[in-house]
Amino acid sequence: MWHFFPGKYMPSYQVNRALTQAHYGGGEFAEILEAAGNIDPDNRETFNIAWLNKGNEVYGWAEDYENKNAFVSARRTYLRAFNYLRTAEFFMNLQDDRKIPTYLKAREAFIKATKYFEEKPIQVEVPFEGSFLPGYLFKPKGVKNPPVMVMFGGLDSLAEELYFGIGDHLMERGVALLAMDGPGQGAALRLNHIHSRHDYNVAGTAVLDWVLENLKDEVDTTSVGIAGVSMGGYMAARCAAFEPRFKVCMIFGAVWSYYSVWAGRSGKHPLAEIVQHIMGVDSYEDVLKKLEGYTLENGVAEKISIPTFIMHGGGDKQNFVEHAITLEKHLTCEHKMKIVPEGESGSQHCQVDNFMPALDMFDWIAEKIHA
């Protein structure tokens, strides 16, 4: 992976993340590099300010386009503003008064952009344990009742973010995307205060039941798949194991045991406060205790009966490749695995350094869900 900040993995990873999403409308290379150039990788506040300033600037441009009825330009500019503001919010600590307002402005930018989509997404609210899980249904243009992939993001993902790249590649293949904020994610966490849970299949089943009941006129309810990216690789596998009504499973970054991921870290890790937030606990020790249930061990993986694709990077520094190798050994269902060899472009976490090796995954998923 290219390091904008030599020797500094995490801030460099975030720059690569934004650059990858820029291919799909989530940024502009020059703007991203300009923001990155204002960051001191050893000073987290400079990260927050650089992305916040750029996001606010671009948001203002989007408003100007909208006021001039230049709606195509407004759409493109709001999408960029969303991603810069999302990046700004990422490392703001929970006590930062800017965190929730920045998240709300990012979400607003995305929703404003969708007003000017040619195929307008449908905002959904899936009832869940006295509250709801929010999401968006993105449909491919000109396809009547397409199959649909229900998808959860990762530890730090927002449902809106799944549109960039993942949504494009599915829709190009005639597959709709139902991007969801599950427990511990996006608005479900920040606004509805729904924390993460090891039995993510409860959320997966709730979403599937809602799709079957409410989206019969929008998608092919006989062809509903499940997907997850990063930590979502655990979520998708867990849902597939306990909900065989899904037709296919897409694991975009495998997680065999999320406890083992964090047991090898410490409370000083850059993402430690984020994982405490999603779990709803106050200490790193409590995080580790909760994470003991986040595993595909003890026969969980063997329960997966639907066709499953595992995509992983051989150089993944966040969820090591051994997670994918172990999971694949335990699968008894029809499955395929692609590992990008370490050192090659696309070998980092969830192919943030090159999305193109994931094309094989999208082709395979499309073939199985259309079958």
Side-chain angles (χ1 to χ4, degrees):
M1 183 182 80
W2 171 63
H3 280 55
F4 183 89
F5 307 104
K8 304 291 184 179
Y9 170 80
M10 189 56 71
S12 294
Y13 180 88
Q14 299 307 324
V15 173
N16 277 274
R17 184 177 180 179
L19 288 171
T20 297
Q21 291 165 328
H23 288 291
Y24 308 99
E28 207 291 320
F29 285 12
E31 293 171 350
I32 293 166
L33 295 178
E34 181 183 343
N38 290 321
I39 294 171
D40 174 355
D42 295 316
N43 184 338
R44 184 163 77 170
E45 178 60 9
T46 66
F47 181 97
N48 300 338
I49 291 173
W51 289 110
L52 186 60
N53 287 346
K54 181 55 66 178
N56 285 331
E57 179 182 35
V58 175
Y59 190 100
W61 297 342
E63 288 183 312
D64 290 342
Y65 282 126
E66 191 172 32
N67 290 335
K68 293 186 294 188
N69 296 328
F71 299 129
V72 172
S73 296
R75 181 192 73 222
R76 288 182 173 273
T77 310
Y78 274 129
L79 287 176
R80 301 202 318 278
F82 157 77
N83 211 21
Y84 301 154
L85 291 168
R86 177 204 62 77
T87 307
E89 189 254 4
F90 181 77
F91 278 124
M92 289 178 180
N93 64 47
L94 301 183
Q95 294 72 42
D96 194 324
D97 291 339
R98 300 167 298 180
K99 189 172 182 68
I100 292 299
T102 300
Y103 166 73
L104 290 172
K105 190 171 184 178
R107 189 168 187 251
E108 180 183 46
F110 187 86
I111 291 170
K112 283 187 172 184
T114 63
K115 292 192 302 183
Y116 308 119
F117 279 23
E118 196 170 354
E119 183 74 43
K120 292 179 176 57
I122 299 171
Q123 281 189 257
V124 308
E125 294 182 354
V126 176
F128 188 74
E129 300 190 344
S131 186
F132 66 88
L133 304 176
Y136 304 85
L137 176 65
F138 301 100
K139 294 171 59 180
K141 183 182 176 183
V143 180
K144 184 176 175 59
N145 293 108
V148 60
M149 293 295 290
V150 171
M151 188 164 190
F152 297 109
L155 168 72
D156 55 303
S157 292
L158 310 181
E160 295 84 3
E161 188 183 356
L162 301 177
Y163 166 77
F164 300 100
I166 293 171
D168 288 79
H169 289 299
L170 288 172
M171 287 186 284
E172 284 178 338
R173 291 162 175 79
V175 180
L177 170 66
L178 181 58
M180 296 298 304
D181 280 332
Q185 299 175 331
L189 173 66
R190 291 161 177 81
L191 304 184
N192 297 351
H193 310 294
I194 302 172
H195 294 101
S196 189
R197 53 193 296 161
H198 80 276
D199 55 345
Y200 227 83
N201 51 289
V202 176
T205 291
V207 175
L208 178 59
D209 285 341
W210 189 89
V211 169
L212 298 179
E213 180 66 27
N214 295 277
L215 294 183
K216 294 175 182 176
D217 295 333
E218 303 291 343
V219 300
D220 180 358
T221 53
T222 68
S223 292
V224 184
I226 183 69
V229 61
S230 191
M231 182 187 177
Y234 165 78
M235 301 163 187
R238 175 86 192 194
C239 290
F242 291 94
E243 185 47 88
R245 291 179 296 169
F246 284 118
K247 189 172 182 179
V248 65
C249 178
M250 184 176 93
I251 298 174
F252 197 171
V255 179
W256 175 249
S257 163
Y258 207 53
Y259 171 83
S260 72
V261 171
W262 281 95
R265 297 173 176 173
S266 76
K268 295 181 179 180
H269 190 278
L271 304 180
E273 189 178 60
I274 295 174
V275 76
Q276 286 177 214
H277 186 205
I278 73 161
M279 295 291 171
V281 297
D282 297 324
S283 72
Y284 190 70
E285 291 71 25
D286 288 339
V287 163
L288 292 180
K289 188 171 183 180
K290 281 217 166 188
L291 285 177
E292 289 176 359
Y294 287 73
T295 180
L296 302 178
E297 299 169 299
N298 305 317
V300 174
E302 285 84 353
K303 291 181 182 294
I304 299 175
S305 59
I306 60 178
T308 297
F309 195 106
I310 303 170
M311 181 82 206
H312 212 94
D316 193 328
K317 292 180 174 58
Q318 297 187 49
N319 296 340
F320 299 137
V321 69
E322 286 75 19
H323 286 269
I325 294 170
T326 303
L327 172 58
E328 195 272 339
K329 287 179 180 177
H330 284 261
L331 289 181
T332 58
C333 60
E334 177 188 0
H335 64 273
K336 186 171 183 178
M337 180 168 70
K338 180 174 182 178
I339 294 174
V340 183
E342 184 173 8
E344 290 189 10
S345 180
S347 66
Q348 291 300 309
H349 184 60
C350 299
Q351 286 59 64
V352 74
D353 54 325
N354 183 358
F355 221 57
M356 295 305 100
L359 295 181
D360 291 336
M361 174 181 69
F362 293 111
D363 288 341
W364 195 90
I365 290 294
E367 176 187 343
K368 296 299 178 182
I369 203 167
H370 281 296

